[in-house]
Each structure stands twice: as structure tokens, then as C-alpha cells.
Amino acid sequence: MKHQLPITKIMTKDVITLDCNDNLETAEILFKRNNIRHIPVVKNKSIIGMLSYTDLLRISFADATDEYDDDVETVVYNMFTIEQVMAKNVISVPSSATIKDVAKLLGKKEFHALPVIDQDKLMGIVTTTDLINYLVEKLQPKSFNTRLYNEFEY
């Protein structure tokens, strides 16, 4: 397994972001429609925070609604702004970071996503799910029946 591969090999490059002026209802819709758990928050194209689906769950019953139902309860969401709910002291990595570097960092910290930033520009996002998928791919025997594996959707 090549541990010195750059994180750019497994990160998500087309990152969905929230503007700091967006509302939490918009955030919930993005989480559910795109089946994601972390969204970087930007202000004037610079990242200022990270909002996780767990952050929303802490203030609402966001998981109690149907995942395809865009009619979300807005009463609680109107009480808070994205900036009040998001994590503000975001740790990021440069695109030159290796998969091993990122795995070590995520293994030590209590978060599951890192923005990949070069010269104050958001280049991508890498999550623990990306790392697990990479590990599964690398540990999968060459003769492994991927058709059978893909039938087991979790």
C-alpha cells in the first residue's frame, strides 16, 4: 500500500459549501440531498468554519424527517445562524499532505473531515469515509468479486 500518495488522490474535489449568510434549513437540505455529513462554510471565498450534520442534530430533530422530504422544521433553525452552530477553529491540510498524514491527524482528533486548502483557496475535502474507502480498495484481493460486494449496501 502506498502511504505517500497525496491526499488529492482520494479527496472530494467538487466541494459543496455554505456561505456564512445561508441558513440552517439550506444546510439540512444540502446534507440530505447530497448524502454528505460535512460542509465547509465560506465568507468571501475563504473558509471560516465547518458545519457537520451532527451539529444540526444537536439543535434539532433533523434526522426525524424523511431524508427525501425538503419540508424541514424551521422554528429551531431560525433561532440560530450557521456561524453560531459551526465549528470555527478548523484544522486544514494542504494538497501536498499525504494520505498517511491525514489518517494520523484524523485518528488523533475528534472530527471526521478536513478541508484541503492551498493559498487560502478551498481545493477539496477529505473525510474518514474517504480513508476507509481507500483502505478497502487497497486491501481488496485482485480476485475479489466486486459485483457480490456491491450488492451489500449499508
mmCIF file of all heavy atoms in Angstrom, residues 22-64:
data_model
loop_
_atom_site.group_PDB
_atom_site.id
_atom_site.type_symbol
_atom_site.label_atom_id
_atom_site.label_comp_id
_atom_site.label_asym_id
_atom_site.label_seq_id
_atom_site.Cartn_x
_atom_site.Cartn_y
_atom_site.Cartn_z
ATOM 1 N N ASP A 22 -25.989 31.891 4.561
ATOM 2 C CA ASP A 22 -27.032 30.897 4.328
ATOM 3 C C ASP A 22 -27.690 30.541 5.659
ATOM 4 O O ASP A 22 -27.166 30.859 6.725
ATOM 5 C CB ASP A 22 -26.437 29.627 3.702
ATOM 6 C CG ASP A 22 -26.070 29.816 2.238
ATOM 7 O OD1 ASP A 22 -26.659 30.681 1.580
ATOM 8 O OD2 ASP A 22 -25.171 29.086 1.773
ATOM 9 N N ASN A 23 -28.817 29.872 5.587
ATOM 10 C CA ASN A 23 -29.489 29.484 6.831
ATOM 11 C C ASN A 23 -29.364 27.985 7.067
ATOM 12 O O ASN A 23 -28.936 27.232 6.203
ATOM 13 C CB ASN A 23 -30.957 29.947 6.828
ATOM 14 C CG ASN A 23 -31.743 29.349 5.686
ATOM 15 O OD1 ASN A 23 -31.651 28.165 5.403
ATOM 16 N ND2 ASN A 23 -32.541 30.172 5.028
ATOM 17 N N LEU A 24 -29.736 27.568 8.253
ATOM 18 C CA LEU A 24 -29.594 26.162 8.633
ATOM 19 C C LEU A 24 -30.552 25.246 7.882
ATOM 20 O O LEU A 24 -30.258 24.073 7.668
ATOM 21 C CB LEU A 24 -29.770 26.011 10.149
ATOM 22 C CG LEU A 24 -28.657 26.667 10.971
ATOM 23 C CD1 LEU A 24 -29.015 26.662 12.455
ATOM 24 C CD2 LEU A 24 -27.319 26.005 10.729
ATOM 25 N N GLU A 25 -31.675 25.770 7.454
ATOM 26 C CA GLU A 25 -32.595 24.976 6.645
ATOM 27 C C GLU A 25 -31.929 24.609 5.318
ATOM 28 O O GLU A 25 -32.009 23.462 4.867
ATOM 29 C CB GLU A 25 -33.887 25.756 6.392
ATOM 30 C CG GLU A 25 -34.909 24.974 5.612
ATOM 31 C CD GLU A 25 -36.222 25.734 5.433
ATOM 32 O OE1 GLU A 25 -36.352 26.866 5.930
ATOM 33 O OE2 GLU A 25 -37.115 25.172 4.792
ATOM 34 N N THR A 26 -31.241 25.568 4.713
ATOM 35 C CA THR A 26 -30.493 25.306 3.475
ATOM 36 C C THR A 26 -29.435 24.238 3.726
ATOM 37 O O THR A 26 -29.246 23.334 2.915
ATOM 38 C CB THR A 26 -29.834 26.605 2.966
ATOM 39 O OG1 THR A 26 -30.853 27.552 2.683
ATOM 40 C CG2 THR A 26 -28.994 26.354 1.725
ATOM 41 N N ALA A 27 -28.761 24.337 4.856
ATOM 42 C CA ALA A 27 -27.734 23.355 5.205
ATOM 43 C C ALA A 27 -28.326 21.950 5.294
ATOM 44 O O ALA A 27 -27.782 20.993 4.726
ATOM 45 C CB ALA A 27 -27.069 23.742 6.523
ATOM 46 N N GLU A 28 -29.450 21.812 5.985
ATOM 47 C CA GLU A 28 -30.063 20.491 6.126
ATOM 48 C C GLU A 28 -30.450 19.919 4.769
ATOM 49 O O GLU A 28 -30.237 18.733 4.495
ATOM 50 C CB GLU A 28 -31.288 20.528 7.032
ATOM 51 C CG GLU A 28 -31.871 19.136 7.205
ATOM 52 C CD GLU A 28 -33.101 19.086 8.096
ATOM 53 O OE1 GLU A 28 -33.518 20.118 8.627
ATOM 54 O OE2 GLU A 28 -33.641 17.978 8.235
ATOM 55 N N ILE A 29 -31.002 20.749 3.921
ATOM 56 C CA ILE A 29 -31.384 20.288 2.578
ATOM 57 C C ILE A 29 -30.155 19.801 1.818
ATOM 58 O O ILE A 29 -30.184 18.739 1.181
ATOM 59 C CB ILE A 29 -32.126 21.412 1.810
ATOM 60 C CG1 ILE A 29 -33.503 21.639 2.443
ATOM 61 C CG2 ILE A 29 -32.246 21.065 0.324
ATOM 62 C CD1 ILE A 29 -34.204 22.904 1.967
ATOM 63 N N LEU A 30 -29.044 20.535 1.896
ATOM 64 C CA LEU A 30 -27.812 20.119 1.215
ATOM 65 C C LEU A 30 -27.278 18.799 1.776
ATOM 66 O O LEU A 30 -26.848 17.923 1.018
ATOM 67 C CB LEU A 30 -26.737 21.206 1.320
ATOM 68 C CG LEU A 30 -26.960 22.448 0.466
ATOM 69 C CD1 LEU A 30 -25.915 23.509 0.784
ATOM 70 C CD2 LEU A 30 -26.941 22.090 -1.018
ATOM 71 N N PHE A 31 -27.301 18.658 3.081
ATOM 72 C CA PHE A 31 -26.852 17.405 3.693
ATOM 73 C C PHE A 31 -27.666 16.231 3.169
ATOM 74 O O PHE A 31 -27.117 15.209 2.759
ATOM 75 C CB PHE A 31 -26.985 17.463 5.227
ATOM 76 C CG PHE A 31 -25.905 18.229 5.926
ATOM 77 C CD1 PHE A 31 -26.230 19.260 6.795
ATOM 78 C CD2 PHE A 31 -24.565 17.910 5.753
ATOM 79 C CE1 PHE A 31 -25.241 19.964 7.471
ATOM 80 C CE2 PHE A 31 -23.566 18.603 6.423
ATOM 81 C CZ PHE A 31 -23.906 19.630 7.288
ATOM 82 N N LYS A 32 -28.968 16.367 3.178
ATOM 83 C CA LYS A 32 -29.847 15.255 2.804
ATOM 84 C C LYS A 32 -29.830 14.977 1.303
ATOM 85 O O LYS A 32 -29.774 13.820 0.890
ATOM 86 C CB LYS A 32 -31.264 15.529 3.294
ATOM 87 C CG LYS A 32 -31.373 15.400 4.806
ATOM 88 C CD LYS A 32 -32.782 15.613 5.286
ATOM 89 C CE LYS A 32 -32.864 15.372 6.797
ATOM 90 N NZ LYS A 32 -34.225 15.494 7.296
ATOM 91 N N ARG A 33 -29.888 16.005 0.487
ATOM 92 C CA ARG A 33 -29.904 15.804 -0.968
ATOM 93 C C ARG A 33 -28.611 15.189 -1.479
ATOM 94 O O ARG A 33 -28.619 14.435 -2.456
ATOM 95 C CB ARG A 33 -30.127 17.133 -1.695
ATOM 96 C CG ARG A 33 -31.542 17.558 -1.757
ATOM 97 C CD ARG A 33 -31.705 18.713 -2.701
ATOM 98 N NE ARG A 33 -33.078 19.197 -2.652
ATOM 99 C CZ ARG A 33 -33.440 20.393 -3.033
ATOM 100 N NH1 ARG A 33 -32.558 21.249 -3.488
ATOM 101 N NH2 ARG A 33 -34.708 20.748 -2.962
ATOM 102 N N ASN A 34 -27.494 15.544 -0.861
ATOM 103 C CA ASN A 34 -26.194 15.098 -1.350
ATOM 104 C C ASN A 34 -25.598 13.953 -0.542
ATOM 105 O O ASN A 34 -24.486 13.512 -0.829
ATOM 106 C CB ASN A 34 -25.228 16.290 -1.379
ATOM 107 C CG ASN A 34 -25.688 17.341 -2.354
ATOM 108 O OD1 ASN A 34 -25.570 17.168 -3.560
ATOM 109 N ND2 ASN A 34 -26.246 18.428 -1.843
ATOM 110 N N ASN A 35 -26.334 13.501 0.477
ATOM 111 C CA ASN A 35 -25.891 12.388 1.309
ATOM 112 C C ASN A 35 -24.464 12.624 1.839
ATOM 113 O O ASN A 35 -23.579 11.784 1.685
ATOM 114 C CB ASN A 35 -25.973 11.070 0.543
ATOM 115 C CG ASN A 35 -25.881 9.875 1.473
ATOM 116 O OD1 ASN A 35 -26.276 9.953 2.632
ATOM 117 N ND2 ASN A 35 -25.351 8.783 0.968
ATOM 118 N N ILE A 36 -24.266 13.807 2.425
ATOM 119 C CA ILE A 36 -22.966 14.172 2.984
ATOM 120 C C ILE A 36 -23.128 14.516 4.458
ATOM 121 O O ILE A 36 -24.251 14.702 4.935
ATOM 122 C CB ILE A 36 -22.317 15.350 2.217
ATOM 123 C CG1 ILE A 36 -23.244 16.565 2.189
ATOM 124 C CG2 ILE A 36 -21.921 14.913 0.807
ATOM 125 C CD1 ILE A 36 -22.654 17.800 1.533
ATOM 126 N N ARG A 37 -22.018 14.604 5.166
ATOM 127 C CA ARG A 37 -22.057 14.861 6.612
ATOM 128 C C ARG A 37 -21.269 16.094 7.037
ATOM 129 O O ARG A 37 -21.329 16.482 8.199
ATOM 130 C CB ARG A 37 -21.511 13.640 7.372
ATOM 131 C CG ARG A 37 -22.333 12.390 7.163
ATOM 132 C CD ARG A 37 -23.592 12.447 7.989
ATOM 133 N NE ARG A 37 -24.407 11.255 7.832
ATOM 134 C CZ ARG A 37 -25.659 11.292 7.428
ATOM 135 N NH1 ARG A 37 -26.242 12.415 7.127
ATOM 136 N NH2 ARG A 37 -26.349 10.179 7.339
ATOM 137 N N HIS A 38 -20.526 16.715 6.111
ATOM 138 C CA HIS A 38 -19.717 17.887 6.453
ATOM 139 C C HIS A 38 -19.754 18.890 5.306
ATOM 140 O O HIS A 38 -19.614 18.498 4.148
ATOM 141 C CB HIS A 38 -18.257 17.491 6.698
ATOM 142 C CG HIS A 38 -18.119 16.458 7.759
ATOM 143 N ND1 HIS A 38 -18.166 15.104 7.485
ATOM 144 C CD2 HIS A 38 -17.954 16.567 9.098
ATOM 145 C CE1 HIS A 38 -18.031 14.437 8.614
ATOM 146 N NE2 HIS A 38 -17.913 15.291 9.606
ATOM 147 N N ILE A 39 -19.930 20.159 5.669
ATOM 148 C CA ILE A 39 -19.936 21.216 4.658
ATOM 149 C C ILE A 39 -19.073 22.383 5.150
ATOM 150 O O ILE A 39 -19.358 22.958 6.201
ATOM 151 C CB ILE A 39 -21.364 21.737 4.358
ATOM 152 C CG1 ILE A 39 -22.285 20.600 3.917
ATOM 153 C CG2 ILE A 39 -21.309 22.832 3.301
ATOM 154 C CD1 ILE A 39 -23.733 21.023 3.671
ATOM 155 N N PRO A 40 -18.041 22.735 4.383
ATOM 156 C CA PRO A 40 -17.255 23.916 4.738
ATOM 157 C C PRO A 40 -18.110 25.177 4.598
ATOM 158 O O PRO A 40 -18.948 25.285 3.698
ATOM 159 C CB PRO A 40 -16.122 23.927 3.714
ATOM 160 C CG PRO A 40 -16.060 22.517 3.198
ATOM 161 C CD PRO A 40 -17.470 22.011 3.255
ATOM 162 N N VAL A 41 -17.888 26.116 5.506
ATOM 163 C CA VAL A 41 -18.597 27.403 5.477
ATOM 164 C C VAL A 41 -17.601 28.464 5.024
ATOM 165 O O VAL A 41 -16.497 28.557 5.569
ATOM 166 C CB VAL A 41 -19.172 27.753 6.872
ATOM 167 C CG1 VAL A 41 -19.913 29.082 6.821
ATOM 168 C CG2 VAL A 41 -20.095 26.637 7.364
ATOM 169 N N VAL A 42 -18.003 29.231 4.017
ATOM 170 C CA VAL A 42 -17.103 30.224 3.448
ATOM 171 C C VAL A 42 -17.657 31.639 3.590
ATOM 172 O O VAL A 42 -18.868 31.841 3.697
ATOM 173 C CB VAL A 42 -16.799 29.943 1.962
ATOM 174 C CG1 VAL A 42 -16.059 28.626 1.802
ATOM 175 C CG2 VAL A 42 -18.071 29.925 1.129
ATOM 176 N N LYS A 43 -16.739 32.578 3.613
ATOM 177 C CA LYS A 43 -17.070 34.001 3.617
ATOM 178 C C LYS A 43 -16.067 34.655 2.690
ATOM 179 O O LYS A 43 -14.851 34.547 2.899
ATOM 180 C CB LYS A 43 -16.953 34.556 5.038
ATOM 181 C CG LYS A 43 -17.344 36.008 5.174
ATOM 182 C CD LYS A 43 -17.276 36.425 6.642
ATOM 183 C CE LYS A 43 -17.903 37.775 6.840
ATOM 184 N NZ LYS A 43 -17.960 38.123 8.283
ATOM 185 N N ASN A 44 -16.560 35.307 1.655
ATOM 186 C CA ASN A 44 -15.684 35.915 0.645
ATOM 187 C C ASN A 44 -14.674 34.904 0.111
ATOM 188 O O ASN A 44 -13.493 35.193 -0.023
ATOM 189 C CB ASN A 44 -14.970 37.144 1.210
ATOM 190 C CG ASN A 44 -15.930 38.210 1.659
ATOM 191 O OD1 ASN A 44 -16.991 38.398 1.053
ATOM 192 N ND2 ASN A 44 -15.596 38.891 2.730
ATOM 193 N N LYS A 45 -15.123 33.688 -0.158
ATOM 194 C CA LYS A 45 -14.337 32.597 -0.735
ATOM 195 C C LYS A 45 -13.277 32.008 0.200
ATOM 196 O O LYS A 45 -12.505 31.151 -0.195
ATOM 197 C CB LYS A 45 -13.697 33.020 -2.061
ATOM 198 C CG LYS A 45 -14.717 33.359 -3.128
ATOM 199 C CD LYS A 45 -14.063 33.638 -4.453
ATOM 200 C CE LYS A 45 -15.132 33.976 -5.484
ATOM 201 N NZ LYS A 45 -14.580 34.208 -6.799
ATOM 202 N N SER A 46 -13.220 32.470 1.435
ATOM 203 C CA SER A 46 -12.292 31.903 2.414
ATOM 204 C C SER A 46 -13.075 31.059 3.408
ATOM 205 O O SER A 46 -14.156 31.460 3.851
ATOM 206 C CB SER A 46 -11.552 33.005 3.172
ATOM 207 O OG SER A 46 -10.687 33.689 2.311
ATOM 208 N N ILE A 47 -12.523 29.929 3.786
ATOM 209 C CA ILE A 47 -13.208 29.053 4.732
ATOM 210 C C ILE A 47 -13.126 29.651 6.139
ATOM 211 O O ILE A 47 -12.065 30.083 6.575
ATOM 212 C CB ILE A 47 -12.642 27.619 4.690
ATOM 213 C CG1 ILE A 47 -13.492 26.700 5.551
ATOM 214 C CG2 ILE A 47 -11.195 27.572 5.069
ATOM 215 C CD1 ILE A 47 -13.259 25.238 5.315
ATOM 216 N N ILE A 48 -14.289 29.709 6.789
ATOM 217 C CA ILE A 48 -14.342 30.268 8.151
ATOM 218 C C ILE A 48 -14.843 29.248 9.166
ATOM 219 O O ILE A 48 -14.842 29.510 10.365
ATOM 220 C CB ILE A 48 -15.207 31.542 8.223
ATOM 221 C CG1 ILE A 48 -16.650 31.241 7.805
ATOM 222 C CG2 ILE A 48 -14.600 32.657 7.385
ATOM 223 C CD1 ILE A 48 -17.637 32.316 8.203
ATOM 224 N N GLY A 49 -15.282 28.091 8.670
ATOM 225 C CA GLY A 49 -15.792 27.089 9.587
ATOM 226 C C GLY A 49 -16.212 25.827 8.879
ATOM 227 O O GLY A 49 -16.119 25.727 7.660
ATOM 228 N N MET A 50 -16.664 24.861 9.673
ATOM 229 C CA MET A 50 -17.144 23.592 9.141
ATOM 230 C C MET A 50 -18.431 23.248 9.876
ATOM 231 O O MET A 50 -18.480 23.259 11.108
ATOM 232 C CB MET A 50 -16.100 22.498 9.367
ATOM 233 C CG MET A 50 -16.479 21.157 8.819
ATOM 234 S SD MET A 50 -16.293 21.003 7.041
ATOM 235 C CE MET A 50 -14.525 20.848 6.904
ATOM 236 N N LEU A 51 -19.468 22.972 9.106
ATOM 237 C CA LEU A 51 -20.739 22.557 9.685
ATOM 238 C C LEU A 51 -20.901 21.069 9.428
ATOM 239 O O LEU A 51 -20.721 20.608 8.299
ATOM 240 C CB LEU A 51 -21.895 23.333 9.053
ATOM 241 C CG LEU A 51 -23.274 23.083 9.667
ATOM 242 C CD1 LEU A 51 -23.347 23.678 11.083
ATOM 243 C CD2 LEU A 51 -24.374 23.684 8.796
ATOM 244 N N SER A 52 -21.235 20.330 10.467
ATOM 245 C CA SER A 52 -21.479 18.900 10.292
ATOM 246 C C SER A 52 -22.962 18.621 10.511
ATOM 247 O O SER A 52 -23.671 19.396 11.154
ATOM 248 C CB SER A 52 -20.637 18.078 11.270
ATOM 249 O OG SER A 52 -21.146 18.206 12.576
ATOM 250 N N TYR A 53 -23.387 17.497 9.975
ATOM 251 C CA TYR A 53 -24.775 17.099 10.179
ATOM 252 C C TYR A 53 -25.038 16.887 11.664
ATOM 253 O O TYR A 53 -26.116 17.186 12.172
ATOM 254 C CB TYR A 53 -25.073 15.833 9.363
ATOM 255 C CG TYR A 53 -26.545 15.499 9.297
ATOM 256 C CD1 TYR A 53 -27.438 16.362 8.672
ATOM 257 C CD2 TYR A 53 -27.036 14.328 9.846
ATOM 258 C CE1 TYR A 53 -28.790 16.059 8.608
ATOM 259 C CE2 TYR A 53 -28.376 14.021 9.784
ATOM 260 C CZ TYR A 53 -29.252 14.892 9.166
ATOM 261 O OH TYR A 53 -30.584 14.590 9.105
ATOM 262 N N THR A 54 -24.030 16.413 12.377
ATOM 263 C CA THR A 54 -24.145 16.234 13.824
ATOM 264 C C THR A 54 -24.414 17.563 14.520
ATOM 265 O O THR A 54 -25.164 17.616 15.496
ATOM 266 C CB THR A 54 -22.868 15.580 14.386
ATOM 267 O OG1 THR A 54 -22.663 14.344 13.706
ATOM 268 C CG2 THR A 54 -22.977 15.319 15.876
ATOM 269 N N ASP A 55 -23.820 18.651 14.018
ATOM 270 C CA ASP A 55 -24.089 19.979 14.587
ATOM 271 C C ASP A 55 -25.573 20.300 14.509
ATOM 272 O O ASP A 55 -26.155 20.850 15.453
ATOM 273 C CB ASP A 55 -23.295 21.066 13.850
ATOM 274 C CG ASP A 55 -21.792 20.929 13.993
ATOM 275 O OD1 ASP A 55 -21.329 20.390 15.024
ATOM 276 O OD2 ASP A 55 -21.080 21.360 13.064
ATOM 277 N N LEU A 56 -26.198 19.959 13.384
ATOM 278 C CA LEU A 56 -27.638 20.200 13.234
ATOM 279 C C LEU A 56 -28.447 19.313 14.178
ATOM 280 O O LEU A 56 -29.430 19.750 14.764
ATOM 281 C CB LEU A 56 -28.095 19.940 11.803
ATOM 282 C CG LEU A 56 -27.689 20.944 10.735
ATOM 283 C CD1 LEU A 56 -28.343 20.581 9.402
ATOM 284 C CD2 LEU A 56 -28.048 22.358 11.121
ATOM 285 N N LEU A 57 -28.012 18.065 14.306
ATOM 286 C CA LEU A 57 -28.733 17.138 15.175
ATOM 287 C C LEU A 57 -28.718 17.606 16.627
ATOM 288 O O LEU A 57 -29.662 17.354 17.374
ATOM 289 C CB LEU A 57 -28.142 15.736 15.080
ATOM 290 C CG LEU A 57 -28.310 15.035 13.738
ATOM 291 C CD1 LEU A 57 -27.623 13.668 13.763
ATOM 292 C CD2 LEU A 57 -29.769 14.896 13.356
ATOM 293 N N ARG A 58 -27.671 18.288 17.009
ATOM 294 C CA ARG A 58 -27.569 18.764 18.389
ATOM 295 C C ARG A 58 -28.631 19.813 18.723
ATOM 296 O O ARG A 58 -28.995 19.975 19.873
ATOM 297 C CB ARG A 58 -26.187 19.368 18.636
ATOM 298 C CG ARG A 58 -25.111 18.343 18.775
ATOM 299 C CD ARG A 58 -23.790 18.985 19.189
ATOM 300 N NE ARG A 58 -22.754 17.991 19.201
ATOM 301 C CZ ARG A 58 -21.683 18.014 18.432
ATOM 302 N NH1 ARG A 58 -21.481 19.023 17.599
ATOM 303 N NH2 ARG A 58 -20.786 17.061 18.506
ATOM 304 N N ILE A 59 -29.090 20.539 17.724
ATOM 305 C CA ILE A 59 -30.056 21.618 17.987
ATOM 306 C C ILE A 59 -31.453 21.302 17.481
ATOM 307 O O ILE A 59 -32.360 22.116 17.644
ATOM 308 C CB ILE A 59 -29.589 22.965 17.389
ATOM 309 C CG1 ILE A 59 -29.504 22.894 15.872
ATOM 310 C CG2 ILE A 59 -28.294 23.411 18.017
ATOM 311 C CD1 ILE A 59 -29.405 24.245 15.192
ATOM 312 N N SER A 60 -31.636 20.142 16.842
ATOM 313 C CA SER A 60 -32.943 19.879 16.241
ATOM 314 C C SER A 60 -33.244 18.393 16.207
ATOM 315 O O SER A 60 -32.505 17.575 16.727
ATOM 316 C CB SER A 60 -32.960 20.418 14.815
ATOM 317 O OG SER A 60 -32.164 19.599 13.975
ATOM 318 N N PHE A 61 -34.285 18.079 15.509
ATOM 319 C CA PHE A 61 -34.657 16.706 15.246
ATOM 320 C C PHE A 61 -34.524 16.454 13.747
ATOM 321 O O PHE A 61 -35.393 15.866 13.122
ATOM 322 C CB PHE A 61 -36.088 16.429 15.708
ATOM 323 C CG PHE A 61 -36.260 16.622 17.189
ATOM 324 C CD1 PHE A 61 -36.884 17.747 17.686
ATOM 325 C CD2 PHE A 61 -35.757 15.684 18.073
ATOM 326 C CE1 PHE A 61 -37.024 17.925 19.044
ATOM 327 C CE2 PHE A 61 -35.892 15.851 19.435
ATOM 328 C CZ PHE A 61 -36.528 16.980 19.929
ATOM 329 N N ALA A 62 -33.418 16.903 13.169
ATOM 330 C CA ALA A 62 -33.224 16.837 11.723
ATOM 331 C C ALA A 62 -33.309 15.418 11.189
ATOM 332 O O ALA A 62 -33.754 15.202 10.072
ATOM 333 C CB ALA A 62 -31.880 17.447 11.336
ATOM 334 N N ASP A 63 -32.908 14.432 11.985
ATOM 335 C CA ASP A 63 -32.949 13.060 11.495
ATOM 336 C C ASP A 63 -34.329 12.437 11.612
ATOM 337 O O ASP A 63 -34.557 11.337 11.138
ATOM 338 C CB ASP A 63 -31.912 12.196 12.211
ATOM 339 C CG ASP A 63 -32.187 12.051 13.688
ATOM 340 O OD1 ASP A 63 -32.895 12.901 14.248
ATOM 341 O OD2 ASP A 63 -31.689 11.082 14.284
ATOM 342 N N ALA A 64 -35.263 13.135 12.228
ATOM 343 C CA ALA A 64 -36.611 12.589 12.396
ATOM 344 C C ALA A 64 -37.467 12.761 11.145
ATOM 345 O O ALA A 64 -38.507 12.140 11.026
ATOM 346 C CB ALA A 64 -37.307 13.257 13.580
#
